[in-house]
Amino acid sequence: GQQLNQSPQSMFIQEGEDVSMNCTSSSIFNTWLWYKQDPGEGPVLLIALYKAGELTSNGRLTAQFGITRKDSFLNISASIPSDVGIYFCAGPLVGGGSNYKLTFGKGTLLTVNP
Amino acid sequence: SAVISQKPSRDICQRGTSLTIQCQVDSQVTMMFWYRQQPGQSLTLIATANQGSEATYESGFVIDKFPISRPNLTFSTLTVSNMSPEDSSIYLCSVDRASRETQYFGPGTRLLVL
């Protein structure tokens, strides 16, 4: 099946450092989504990517849709304590009906030390 | 994005009982989905809630255990039936409002089954 391999599983960084995480798949995705989940909350959409090679920013966050359509990365610059949370990549399952069903990576747990 | 609310936000239930979770959206949406997030895990799609017809369940999930209603374009319910401790999870509804394979999530319902 179509699975997303997300890495790293967890990160411990100092405030002000930059962060990079990525997702890869053996299958092609037409859309890449990045979500953040705070403790006790539902996932919040950070960035959506719809085109191979697309580079999109949202404040200190930057994400890119890999040119092969099989990977994506998310960068966070100048991290702050409120960046703490779990970051998930996701993409819609392709083929066999609706393209709206999302598959999720296992998440990257980010801890920022003040 | 969409404003999505879920009720209850959390509950503690006894095994063998059932709980119905409500999901309300602030405007009409085409697609509504239900996910389960087991402790420390990623999100797994339970089913797609279809308006006016039976829900479409993913492999490993059945209607008898997770009956779903979708009476209109802004509301859906998920029932967790005959609960066991293994059903302790966060249950999340999501909607696809932009029709671009992008989903927005509710805040989740935290269920603990004793």
Side-chain angles (χ1 to χ4, degrees):
Chain A
Q2 294 166 323
Q3 296 185 351
L4 295 180
N5 302 307
Q6 186 171 351
S7 64
Q9 185 175 3
S10 63
M11 302 181 73
F12 299 85
I13 63 171
Q14 295 295 321
E15 182 177 359
E17 291 183 354
D18 297 342
V19 172
S20 184
M21 59 192 79
N22 69 85
C23 265
T24 62
S25 175
S26 58
S27 302
I28 290 174
F29 279 77
N30 294 323
T31 299
W32 284 95
L33 307 172
W34 285 94
Y35 291 87
K36 181 193 177 193
Q37 187 175 29
D38 291 329
E41 303 291 332
V44 173
L45 182 65
L46 299 174
I47 293 179
L49 302 161
Y50 301 108
K51 186 177 178 181
E54 179 181 357
L55 183 70
T56 298
S57 294
N58 178 7
R60 293 178 296 105
L61 278 61
T62 301
Q64 183 156 29
F65 192 145
I67 197 70
T68 65
R69 307 174 80 100
K70 294 183 178 181
D71 64 322
S72 176
F73 71 75
L74 174 71
N75 286 346
I76 305 173
S77 63
S79 60
I80 59 178
S82 63
D83 290 333
V84 166
I86 304 175
Y87 292 80
F88 292 101
C89 62
L93 296 172
V94 177
S98 167
N99 284 337
Y100 296 100
K101 297 190 293 185
L102 292 182
T103 186
F104 280 78
K106 293 187 181 300
T108 296
L109 174 61
L110 178 63
T111 302
V112 180
N113 295 318
Chain B
S1 64
V3 177
I4 307 167
S5 60
Q6 286 185 232
K7 290 182 181 179
S9 60
R10 61 181 67 241
D11 208 341
I12 301 174
C13 301
Q14 296 298 318
R15 68 172 66 213
T17 63
S18 297
L19 176 71
T20 296
I21 302 168
Q22 300 179 2
C23 179
Q24 179 76 53
V25 191
D26 66 337
S27 61
Q28 294 184 346
V29 295
T30 304
M31 311 291 286
M32 294 184 78
F33 306 88
W34 287 98
Y35 288 82
R36 181 176 72 183
Q37 186 177 27
Q38 294 177 303
Q41 302 296 314
S42 187
L43 285 76
T44 301
L45 181 64
I46 297 172
T48 303
N50 303 308
Q51 196 269 329
S53 64
E54 212 167 81
T56 305
Y57 289 84
E58 298 303 304
S59 175
F61 298 97
V62 295
I63 188 171
D64 289 346
K65 176 66 175 178
F66 297 102
I68 288 171
S69 78
R70 176 95 190 267
N72 56 53
L73 293 176
T74 64
F75 185 78
S76 179
T77 68
L78 168 75
T79 299
V80 186
S81 303
N82 188 25
M83 288 183 286
S84 67
E86 291 72 34
D87 294 320
S88 299
S89 292
I90 301 173
Y91 292 87
L92 297 145
C93 70
S94 74
V95 305
D96 179 346
R97 185 174 180 178
S99 296
R100 293 201 67 186
E101 303 174 334
T102 304
Q103 291 182 23
Y104 300 92
F105 285 83
T109 295
R110 279 141 199 84
L111 172 62
L112 176 63
V113 183
L114 302 177

